[in-house]
Amino acid sequence: MPFPASHPALDRALSDRGYAEPTPVQSAVLEAEQGRDLLVSAQTGSGKTVAFGLALAPTLLGEAEKFAEFGAPVALVIAPTRELALQVSTELQWLYAQTGARIVSCVGGMDPKVERQALNRGCHIVVGTPGRLRDHVERGSLDLSTLQAVVLDEADEMLDMGFQEDLTFILDAAPAERRTLMFSATLARDIVQLAKTYQQDALRIDTVVGAGSHADIEYKAIRVAPNEVELAVVNVLRYFEAPGALVFANTRERVKHLTSSLRERGFSVVGLSGELTQSQRSEALQALRDGHARVCVATDVAARGLDLPDLGLVIHAEIPVNKAGLLHRSGRTGRAGKKGVSVLLVSYTRRRKVELMLQSASIKAEWSGPPSAEMILANDHVRMLADPVLIAPVEDEAVLALGKQLLEKSSPEQIAAALIRLYQQKLPAPEDVYDDDRMKRQQETGKNDKGQLDVPYTDFARGGDMTWYRINIGRDKNADPKWLMPTICRLGHVTKRDIGSIKIFERETKFEITHEMKAKFEAAIALGLEDGVKIDPAVKPGPSEKPVSRWDKKPAGDHPTGDRPERKPWAKREEGGDKPAWKSREDRPEGAKKPWVKRDDAAPAAEGKKPWVKREETGDKPAWKSREERPQADKKPWVKRDDAAAAAAEGKKPWVKRTPNDPTPEGKKPWVKKPPVEGKTPWTPRSDAAPAPAGAGDKPWKGKPKGGDRPWGAKDARGKPATARPPYKAKGPR
């Protein structure tokens, strides 16, 4: 079916571009009533950009062949990501090339000054992301007063990314009589509510009703061991040999690691994640489009809206978060009627989640093991024999003459063998990947080894044929199952499900490996281990071999300082001079919380006396049972004797009570309060050395007086007396 007539200039652009027949969404949009708002649901890769570009032409151009002079924009296209916005801008450039349209893109990551200059020079169509467009509107560089149409591309994604506030701001700033076109992969409730708020009598077009999701995409779920995902990515890329492939990971660090690993193996690969600048992201995508790179490792930033030609393969190196992520990732392939393959690499711990995800998305995937090296080499032979370079006739006389000279010097078999060798050298070598048979049996029978239905393998292998091995790491090197388990898995290329019992001894550790994994385990450790680590076959520990727990006491000779001291080096409290250890709170004598003080004599326990006596018996500070029983006098009515030690030896109290009229002991508090003077400290040192008179201030400051109002003799950073202000702020009397 030929394209319906939309506008002469656009029709010529479609013809020059080679568009012969419209896609379903393009036909539905062109058949709709002109000037009406549209709410369109169409799967990714269905030609939505060309569809709304054609739908806008009658509104923007009318009967005119070209646009008038540049001014404020008449159309605004909003996209969720920078890549999609730039891609839409590129599509509209060639579609409206013959109309004289000036198109400006406004996206994050670009220089806003350059965008403002382009907007000030005038344009007809603006394409951008919500955040950057709102910024230009708030700064006054983007005038929306003349808009005739607004397009929301991938509206559901913009709402999922949290752009609802920005969209509301932009749509409220646009004229109310505009035309609004909304395109979304799904018509969820929030999309329908947004359409009711900002559209008028919108025509709803659903081009995916009755059609299967991604009918042109073949889904494959491949069983892999958790520690062999990277190797499985290599084999899947080598098995399909697609002109373009997209490998998805969940984090930026994972993208970096996979990109470096594939590049080391000889793949032409680029990375794409949110931490890259816009120019770096554009260069990576352009390298994939131009064929300079065959593989792109990306986060979900590349899961929406990107149109990459010849992208025949999508690999989910890490499982997407939900069904929507799976559909949008896979939608990068199988576009515009082309076939594509979407491969999920599934470990046994993720099997159940993937099955539920596929079921909710109504997708039937083919389960299999990873491509083996033999399968990849067989495909290489088929592809090489069908290579057009070998089949197409050669018309270059110089090349034919050189070929004859080669035949004169070497036999055809030798020349063919050299050609095969050159062909194989440019291909990365396949990896030896293990097919997790346990997962296969679980899928076929619906039961695990314990006979439980639909339960993923989460426990350790027990029972059955097991083989014992030993590793030269024991309790003397702080061996612990928490880090021994992943160490064994990494060194032996096995999973924790393949490991049985682990018994830790003083100098070594013995562990079990399932019999079916024995050959793979021994082949892995034969390739080399870490420095100082050694793994050998072993016999089952006998009854006399008792594992060493980390709580067991080490022999005395193992301690770096010789024999270890006893764990309790202290004598019982009742026998030794320490505080009595009451068995319970009820056994304590009634009275104050701490009614006991230690005797001054050296060996009371030897005389049968308690080392602790009540405070009242020693004449020490009284232990008031409550604050109410304290004398209503000074807060601290006790003053320590200057000869406290001698007084205690004579049986006298080391503390004496003073009254406000008692003199302070000599040498204490040599400061008296003087009438306050503004700007000066209220304390001044006494000129005599006599004791402070009664009623002296109770500031317990220490330090020798040093002239004037500065009792402390403080110095500044240069070592000179500080005279600007006192270093201490005096507090009033307590």
Side-chain angles (χ1 to χ4, degrees):
M1 174 178 98
F3 261 96
S6 59
H7 188 276
L10 273 63
D11 292 341
R12 291 193 298 269
L14 291 172
S15 178
D16 296 341
R17 198 76 174 185
Y19 280 76
E21 296 182 358
T23 63
V25 65
Q26 293 167 357
S27 298
V29 169
L30 290 175
E31 292 171 1
E33 180 182 352
Q34 290 186 3
R36 189 173 179 182
D37 289 355
L38 300 178
L39 177 58
V40 184
S41 172
Q43 71 180 34
T44 181
S46 58
K48 290 182 291 183
T49 304
V50 174
F52 66 70
L54 296 174
L56 291 177
T59 303
L60 304 182
L61 290 168
E63 299 296 332
E65 180 71 16
K66 293 186 177 182
F67 281 99
E69 295 181 356
F70 305 138
V74 293
L76 179 66
V77 182
I78 310 174
T81 63
R82 291 176 276 180
E83 286 76 19
L84 182 56
L86 295 176
Q87 179 178 294
V88 170
S89 178
T90 303
E91 290 289 304
L92 295 180
Q93 290 282 0
W94 68 260
L95 185 61
Y96 279 83
Q98 300 184 30
T99 64
R102 174 176 287 182
I103 302 174
V104 175
S105 60
C106 301
V107 298
M110 295 297 190
D111 189 352
K113 294 182 180 179
V114 176
E115 294 175 352
R116 283 196 293 270
Q117 292 173 358
L119 293 172
N120 293 333
R121 287 194 297 266
C123 60
H124 300 105
I125 302 175
V126 175
V127 183
T129 52
R132 180 55 65 89
L133 291 175
R134 178 176 181 175
D135 181 67
H136 283 305
V137 172
E138 291 177 337
R139 293 175 182 272
S141 54
L142 177 58
D143 182 10
L144 303 181
S145 60
T146 59
L147 283 184
Q148 300 178 26
V150 176
V151 179
L152 275 66
D153 193 11
E154 301 281 358
D156 55 342
E157 174 68 2
M158 286 191 283
L159 295 183
D160 291 342
M161 296 173 66
F163 288 132
Q164 183 167 3
E165 183 179 350
D166 295 335
L167 290 176
T168 302
F169 176 85
I170 296 171
L171 293 174
D172 288 339
E177 62 275 8
R178 70 181 183 275
R179 186 183 180 193
T180 306
L181 284 69
M182 294 179 59
F183 288 77
S184 175
T186 59
L187 296 181
R189 181 180 303 176
D190 51 354
I191 296 296
V192 175
Q193 183 61 39
L194 186 67
K196 289 181 180 179
T197 306
Y198 293 101
Q199 288 187 311
Q200 299 177 2
D201 189 26
L203 175 63
R204 184 165 176 170
I205 300 175
D206 192 349
T207 61
V208 298
V209 175
S213 297
H214 297 180
D216 293 330
I217 302 175
E218 180 183 3
Y219 284 87
K220 293 182 178 294
I222 292 181
R223 302 180 295 267
V224 295
N227 59 334
E228 293 189 346
V229 172
E230 186 177 312
L231 305 181
V233 171
V234 174
N235 279 20
V236 171
L237 290 172
R238 286 284 288 106
Y239 180 79
F240 289 98
E241 285 292 335
L246 197 54
V247 181
F248 280 103
N250 291 341
T251 62
R252 299 174 179 178
E253 291 300 323
R254 187 63 173 162
V255 168
K256 286 184 189 176
H257 178 76
L258 276 175
T259 303
S260 301
S261 178
L262 293 177
R263 186 175 291 119
E264 289 177 359
R265 285 176 165 86
F267 289 93
S268 54
V269 58
V270 293
L272 184 63
S273 63
E275 68 179 355
L276 301 180
T277 63
Q278 186 57 48
S279 60
Q280 291 174 327
R281 294 162 75 169
S282 300
E283 290 174 1
L285 291 174
Q286 193 60 39
L288 201 63
R289 292 188 178 102
D290 296 341
H292 299 306
R294 192 171 68 86
V295 182
C296 178
V297 183
T299 57
D300 283 340
V301 71
R304 283 274 189 164
L306 292 184
D307 185 15
L308 301 173
D310 299 326
L311 188 70
L313 177 64
V314 170
I315 301 175
H316 306 270
E318 292 181 308
I319 302 303
V321 177
N322 50 32
K323 176 187 72 173
L326 171 65
L327 293 176
H328 287 296
R329 283 181 176 186
S330 303
R332 299 311 96 214
T333 186
R335 300 169 66 89
K338 297 181 181 180
K339 301 297 181 181
V341 180
S342 178
V343 177
L344 293 95
L345 303 181
V346 188
S347 64
Y348 64 86
T349 57
R350 312 287 285 175
R351 179 194 68 87
R352 187 60 178 166
K353 178 180 179 179
V354 171
E355 288 180 343
L356 294 175
M357 189 184 301
L358 293 173
Q359 182 180 0
S360 64
S362 301
I363 294 174
K364 292 184 178 180
E366 177 186 352
W367 287 84
S368 65
S372 63
E374 292 76 13
M375 297 169 60
I376 295 172
L377 294 177
N379 273 6
D380 289 343
H381 297 164
V382 174
R383 283 190 287 261
M384 183 183 64
L385 294 176
D387 196 321
V389 175
L390 300 177
I391 300 175
V394 179
E395 299 179 355
D396 192 336
E397 296 296 336
V399 174
L400 290 174
L402 184 58
K404 292 179 181 179
Q405 294 180 11
L406 288 175
L407 288 174
E408 294 175 357
K409 294 183 178 181
S410 303
S411 63
E413 291 80 5
Q414 290 178 332
I415 296 176
L419 179 62
I420 294 173
R421 186 163 56 250
L422 292 174
Y423 184 86
Q424 293 177 342
Q425 285 178 351
K426 68 178 183 179
L427 298 175
E431 300 287 348
D432 184 16
V433 185
Y434 166 65
D435 183 3
D436 200 338
D437 291 335
R438 297 161 304 169
M439 187 172 168
K440 181 178 180 181
R441 292 195 305 268
Q442 184 178 354
Q443 289 176 286
E444 293 174 350
T445 62
K447 299 180 180 180
N448 59 17
D449 291 344
K450 292 185 176 181
Q452 298 169 331
L453 294 174
D454 284 330
V455 178
Y457 290 95
T458 56
D459 55 342
F460 299 129
R462 294 291 184 268
D465 295 332
M466 308 291 288
T467 303
W468 282 92
Y469 293 87
R470 62 172 294 276
I471 184 172
N472 61 336
I473 300 176
R475 191 63 68 188
D476 60 334
K477 297 181 181 178
N478 298 322
D480 189 272
K482 292 182 180 179
W483 60 267
L484 268 178
M485 178 74 71
T487 300
I488 296 172
C489 293
R490 184 180 68 254
L491 298 177
H493 294 180
V494 295
T495 66
K496 66 178 182 180
R497 185 64 182 81
D498 303 314
I499 302 175
S501 300
I502 297 178
K503 296 185 180 297
I504 302 176
F505 300 95
E506 187 61 34
R507 306 291 182 183
E508 65 180 15
T509 297
K510 292 186 177 182
F511 57 92
E512 290 180 308
I513 296 294
T514 57
H515 187 68
E516 60 182 1
M517 293 298 297
K518 176 181 177 181
K520 178 181 177 62
F521 181 79
E522 292 182 349
I525 62 177
L527 296 176
L529 301 174
E530 298 175 358
D531 293 340
V533 178
K534 186 178 180 182
I535 298 179
D536 300 314
V539 296
K540 182 178 180 180
S544 60
E545 296 183 80
K546 183 181 178 181
V548 179
S549 169
R550 59 177 174 173
W551 306 111
D552 291 344
K553 183 179 179 181
K554 291 185 178 181
D558 287 350
H559 197 269
T561 60
D563 294 341
R564 298 179 69 184
E566 292 293 333
R567 189 172 293 274
K568 295 181 179 180
W570 308 103
K572 290 184 179 179
R573 295 179 185 268
E574 293 81 5
E575 302 174 358
D578 205 344
K579 293 183 180 179
W582 309 108
K583 296 180 180 179
S584 65
R585 300 185 69 89
E586 290 72 15
D587 295 336
R588 295 183 180 181
E590 296 294 335
K593 291 184 177 180
K594 294 181 179 179
W596 303 95
V597 293
K598 192 172 183 179
R599 286 182 179 273
D600 296 326
D601 48 355
E607 302 175 4
K609 299 179 181 179
K610 293 182 179 179
W612 298 87
V613 293
K614 287 187 177 181
R615 295 179 185 270
E616 288 79 357
E617 299 176 8
T618 62
D620 207 342
K621 289 184 181 180
W624 309 108
K625 296 181 180 180
S626 65
R627 298 185 65 89
E628 289 72 15
E629 298 179 16
R630 295 184 180 182
Q632 299 299 321
D634 295 338
K635 292 184 178 180
K636 296 181 179 179
W638 298 90
V639 181
K640 192 171 183 179
R641 291 177 178 271
D642 293 333
D643 54 348
E650 299 175 3
K652 298 179 181 179
K653 297 180 180 180
W655 296 84
V656 294
K657 186 175 182 180
R658 67 180 172 92
T659 64
N661 296 325
D662 291 338
T664 306
E666 187 172 353
K668 304 294 183 180
K669 301 179 182 176
W671 308 97
V672 294
K673 189 174 182 181
K674 67 178 182 179
V677 178
E678 185 177 358
K680 295 185 178 181
T681 175
W683 299 93
T684 181
R686 294 179 57 83
S687 59
D688 54 355
D698 57 353
K699 287 278 184 180
W701 293 347
K702 296 180 181 180
K704 68 176 183 178
K706 192 173 182 180
D709 293 331
R710 304 195 58 77
W712 304 110
K715 296 181 180 180
D716 59 14
R718 296 172 295 177
K720 296 181 179 181
T723 57
R725 56 186 295 271
Y728 293 90
K729 182 179 180 181
K731 301 178 181 178
R734 295 184 180 178

